[in-house]
Amino acid sequence: MNKENYIAQTRFGLGVNPSHSVAGDAKRWLKQGLTAPDLSHVKGARASGELAKQYRMRRDNGDDKKAMKASSPGTLMIEAVTESADNAVRATPSINWRILDFFSNHFSVTGQNAVMKFLAPSLEKEAIAPNLFGRFEDMLMAVTRHPAMLAYLDNAQSIGPNSRIGKRRDKGLNENLAREILELHTLGVNSGYQQQDVLELAKAITGFSIARKDSEGDEQGFVFRSAIHEPGDRVVLGKRYRQKGEAQGLAILKDLARDQRCADFVCKKIATHFISDTPSTDAVKALSKVWIHTKGDLKAVFEALIDLEESWHSEPQKFKSPREFYLSAMRAATLPSDNPKRFAKALRELGQLPFSAGSPAGFDDTADAWLSPSSMVARADFSQQFARLWRRDVKNVETLLDQLFGDQLSNHSRQIILRAGSKQQSLALLLMSPEFLRR
């Protein structure tokens, strides 16, 4: 395996799978992988959907604890994310699954209660994946109107003070979603927007709500409620929006997605995730230029990322997050990641169970967040347990090293791994080698 093929699978993808190979030119191979992941068979439902109703029926009918647990929100969330992870483990190339993980974290929601445990996986499935290689504005609008985001940031309860219902009820505006759209989803915290912009955007998206029953709203559970929408023009970032109803909020979101500050902010996050914790200004500018020229065409932006010389630096630049470490181990061993209990236990102990960031900002994406003594102990424990399972399928460790690293493994690491007292210890040391911990 040459250097370019190794980088294509580890830095752009989720790790080397010995049963897969890079077909032809590495850059062309990666670009061919820029297709939306198929999540059609992955479970995930809205709180108003069939799974939630089934759970309530079993609870109300006094079903036994085992049946209740099988259809509980937490169980179904873990099943959904396990299925998604298993698809990522099997994928070739896996660049699209890495990009899906990136945007799922960018638009982070937490399964903090029963409702959010039902909703969280469906955000990825219904709003992010279908728009992964379209324009960012389409993803932004889909995410903003999805029940998971509306419930997580309380926009379904946001009522325009001068709306028909607002005049009759002592309930007011909720700024949570509007603030995070500006701070985390589009412009960035120090981009120059003011509190008044947050307030105006919050008014513009009043009425973005969640269907209460299956026959109400669209197929993904969104409904616009004109009775709680704040009437009148809105002025955001100095521009006046005269649209009525739902169209007003959508017009603002579209402009935010095409703003230079949004391009710079999201492109820096992309470069930080794929290239290094401190990407060069030139790399970010190159991606941002493509963003503006194409009006946020994400496929064009990622094609530009693949073409950047900085993306192919020979030395590993990123320390793997717990999820990346887990998925790359599964890919290295060509083992299915389809055991929900094992999946949840491993990622909980490693510190990155999906939909558990606890903040709209998502999980950190730099080494400082994950490179700590306690984190390394957790990885070492996982490596020992994982190697016990893996050893049965490994005939020759030296051959495996060639398959996984090619000539990218240092002589020092190779000697330490091969001189271990047992096959299990060799595999555990492989997982804890500097070359495997980084990408």
Side-chain angles (χ1 to χ4, degrees):
M1 184 192 318
N2 63 31
K3 179 181 70 175
E4 287 73 21
N5 290 355
Y6 179 76
I7 291 173
Q9 295 179 81
T10 56
R11 187 170 301 161
F12 289 95
L14 291 166
V16 175
N17 183 323
S19 64
H20 300 163
S21 61
V22 176
D25 177 74
K27 291 184 179 180
R28 186 181 303 113
W29 181 74
L30 286 170
K31 290 177 182 180
Q32 290 171 347
L34 298 179
T35 58
D38 181 11
L39 295 175
S40 60
H41 302 298
V42 173
K43 296 175 184 176
R46 298 169 296 281
S48 57
E50 190 58 37
L51 290 174
K53 290 192 294 185
Q54 181 185 38
Y55 177 73
R56 287 195 297 270
M57 286 175 58
R58 287 183 171 178
R59 179 193 62 195
D60 296 342
N61 291 336
D63 278 15
D64 62 77
K65 291 182 179 180
K66 186 176 181 180
M68 282 293 297
K69 186 176 181 181
S71 62
S72 71
T75 299
L76 292 171
M77 184 181 79
I78 293 300
E79 286 181 356
V81 296
T82 304
E83 288 182 49
S84 181
D86 192 45
N87 285 330
V89 167
R90 298 172 186 272
T92 179
S94 57
I95 182 173
N96 52 348
W97 289 93
R98 176 177 287 286
I99 295 171
L100 178 65
D101 281 353
F102 170 82
F103 278 111
S104 184
N105 192 55
H106 180 74
F107 292 109
S108 176
V109 295
T110 296
Q112 59 200 18
N113 53 40
V115 169
M116 285 308 303
K117 284 180 171 66
F118 277 122
L119 287 170
S122 63
L123 177 68
E124 195 174 83
K125 176 181 178 180
E126 297 171 344
I128 298 176
N131 296 293
L132 203 58
F133 298 109
R135 285 183 173 170
F136 181 72
E137 64 197 50
D138 296 323
M139 185 188 296
L140 177 65
M141 288 188 282
V143 167
T144 302
R145 291 185 292 175
H146 193 276
M149 191 62 73
L150 294 171
Y152 182 52
L153 293 175
D154 305 312
N155 203 77
Q157 288 78 45
S158 183
I159 299 175
N162 298 301
S163 65
R164 293 202 309 273
I165 290 180
K167 290 178 179 179
R168 302 199 306 263
R169 294 186 186 178
D170 187 22
K171 291 185 178 180
L173 200 64
N174 189 299
E175 301 174 12
N176 288 352
L177 179 54
R179 188 177 308 282
E180 306 307 357
I181 288 171
L182 292 170
E183 179 178 329
L184 299 175
H185 300 165
T186 59
L187 305 185
V189 65
N190 296 313
S191 56
Y193 68 84
Q194 305 297 321
Q195 171 58 23
Q196 186 62 26
D197 296 313
V198 175
L199 185 65
E200 288 288 277
L201 177 55
K203 291 178 179 178
I205 59 175
T206 49
F208 285 30
S209 192
I210 303 170
R212 296 193 187 99
K213 52 188 178 181
D214 294 344
S215 60
E216 183 184 35
D218 69 14
E219 62 180 10
Q220 295 186 7
F222 170 80
V223 66
F224 178 75
R225 303 190 189 283
S226 58
I228 61 174
H229 178 69
E230 179 71 4
D233 295 353
R234 305 269 74 83
V235 178
V236 178
L237 300 173
K239 180 175 178 178
R240 182 172 294 276
Y241 294 85
R242 303 181 186 277
Q243 293 88 347
K244 306 296 181 183
E246 181 185 358
Q248 186 177 70
L250 296 180
I252 298 172
L253 293 176
K254 182 176 180 178
D255 283 350
L256 288 173
R258 297 188 182 190
D259 192 287
Q260 181 69 60
R261 288 165 289 186
C262 178
D264 294 342
F265 176 66
V266 181
C267 287
K268 184 175 182 180
K269 287 188 69 173
I270 290 172
T272 299
H273 180 79
F274 281 88
I275 299 176
S276 77
D277 288 357
T278 54
S280 72
T281 301
D282 287 344
V284 176
K285 283 184 177 179
L287 299 180
S288 183
K289 182 178 180 180
V290 173
W291 183 296
I292 294 299
H293 178 71
T294 63
K295 296 181 173 63
D297 184 326
L298 294 174
K299 185 172 184 180
V301 171
F302 282 104
E303 287 177 338
L305 174 75
I306 292 168
D307 286 333
L308 280 179
E309 182 177 350
E310 190 171 332
S311 297
W312 298 87
H313 194 285
S314 60
E315 294 297 320
Q317 300 293 302
K318 295 285 294 184
F319 185 76
K320 292 178 182 177
S321 72
R323 177 176 169 82
E324 292 170 338
F325 177 68
Y326 174 86
L327 292 179
S328 60
M330 300 301 294
R331 288 178 64 84
T334 63
L335 291 174
S337 182
D338 57 0
N339 186 314
K341 288 184 179 180
R342 186 182 298 158
F343 173 84
K345 180 177 184 292
L347 285 182
R348 188 177 289 112
E349 292 175 352
L350 289 170
Q352 198 182 14
L353 188 68
F355 305 116
S356 65
S359 162
F363 291 106
D364 288 339
D365 199 19
T366 59
D368 290 345
W370 306 116
L371 188 53
S372 67
S374 60
S375 173
M376 295 304 291
V377 168
R379 294 191 190 209
D381 289 344
F382 168 83
S383 297
Q384 287 287 355
Q385 296 167 19
F386 188 78
R388 190 177 299 117
L389 295 173
W390 191 7
R391 63 183 178 179
R392 296 189 294 255
D393 299 321
V394 177
K395 294 180 180 179
N396 184 286
V397 175
E398 191 165 10
T399 300
L400 178 66
L401 294 181
D402 292 336
Q403 292 174 329
L404 293 180
F405 298 102
D407 58 1
Q408 304 304 302
L409 187 68
S410 70
N411 288 332
H412 178 69
S413 292
R414 180 180 289 271
Q415 290 175 8
I416 289 176
I417 294 167
L418 293 178
R419 289 175 180 175
S422 66
K423 185 187 294 184
Q424 179 179 330
Q425 191 63 25
S426 288
L427 296 174
L429 289 170
L430 184 162
L431 295 175
M432 291 301 293
S433 67
E435 291 84 355
F436 194 85
L437 289 170
R438 296 183 178 275
R439 59 176 177 85

